Amino acid sequence: MTAISGTTTDALLDADATGGAPAGASAPAAFGFQVQPEFHPVPLDPEAGAAAGDEALDERMRDFARAYWGEAGEREPLRAFTAALYGVNSARLAADGTVYHALGFFPVGGTADGSQPPERVSRCTLTVGVRDLDNPDPHLTAAGIAETLDRGEDGGEVQLVTLPAGPAVVRVAGSRAVWQLPDGEQERFFVRVEVWLPFPEDDRLLLLCLSTADVQDLYRYQAILADIADTVAFGDGPAGGAAARPRPFG
């Protein structure tokens, strides 16, 4: 597991370029969590972008695209498209309060020693974000979130749970996307697993969201996100008992 840590300042839209909280704001709450090594972070650093301009983020996106597609010359159009697409998406995610964004590649089948290759690779996307929310008490807040989600129009299954970091809400929901193509409609289904976790002493909420088009792997991804959620820790201590690491977000 890879340790990730940061502060809620990383998700504030009006934070200054040096990463400090806006004038008059309370001190940001620290948090940390761990992810499996199969997750590959997508560049997402709004503070560096604010301090150094878009060129710094653009270069990181180009590095990400090279790592994703390799160095083969014929794949340059794919690298350029990937860098542009994820660059726009990362800017939108950062503006919405996302502090971590990664792609997950999980082999299915095969053998642990590599003597037999995997039958296929299952893919997912993981985002972790911070939202402002009136939070008088984590238990009451979690109960209110569960009731609101359960009554929502998006449907899905909602359950109150207790994590090491406090009370939380788990939600599993599906969606359908349809593309209009020259030869007709093409549809694809997606499944999303969310964990809504109120901060223990702050008017904020940590939202972990794992989504995938490999809907047959739902149970696998529920377990993966559960393992991540169990490592969440609030405060300056290391996440899930992991060794302390430098903060990538500030």
Side-chain angles (χ1 to χ4, degrees), residues 8-15 43-47 57 87-101 128-132:
T8 56
T9 300
D10 305 310
L12 294 174
L13 304 186
D14 51 352
L44 183 70
D45 197 344
E47 291 181 0
L57 186 57
V88 172
N89 190 45
S90 287
R92 179 184 61 80
L93 289 173
D96 288 341
T98 299
V99 296
Y100 181 78
H101 179 207
V128 179
V130 178
R131 298 185 179 184
D132 291 333

Side-chain angles (χ1 to χ4, degrees), residues 50-66:
D54 293 338
E55 292 183 3
L57 186 57
D58 287 346
E59 181 57 34
R60 294 181 65 196
M61 282 297 171
R62 287 191 289 270
D63 290 341
F64 168 75
R66 281 193 293 270

Side-chain angles (χ1 to χ4, degrees), residues 146-172:
E147 183 175 358
T148 300
L149 293 176
D150 197 38
R151 293 183 176 183
E153 297 180 355
D154 293 340
E157 298 182 5
V158 179
Q159 182 179 2
L160 275 168
V161 298
T162 300
L163 299 176
V169 179
V170 175
R171 180 188 180 210
V172 181

Side-chain angles (χ1 to χ4, degrees), residues 103-104 120-126 173-177 179 186-193 210-218 221:
L103 305 180
R120 61 185 176 89
V121 175
S122 184
R123 295 171 171 82
C124 69
T125 300
L126 173 66
S175 60
R176 172 175 174 264
W179 291 270
Q186 180 180 350
E187 67 176 6
R188 196 165 190 182
F189 293 91
F190 297 85
V191 67
R192 185 173 68 256
V193 186
L210 191 155
S211 61
T212 181
D214 293 321
V215 296
Q216 70 272 27
D217 298 323
L218 170 60
Y221 284 122

Side-chain angles (χ1 to χ4, degrees), residues 4-5 7 14 28 37-38 48 52 78 96 100 113 138 169 218 224 227 243:
I4 309 294
S5 59
T7 71
D14 51 352
E38 288 83 0
L78 291 173
D96 288 341
Y100 181 78
D113 61 5
V169 179
L218 170 60
I224 288 171
D227 287 344

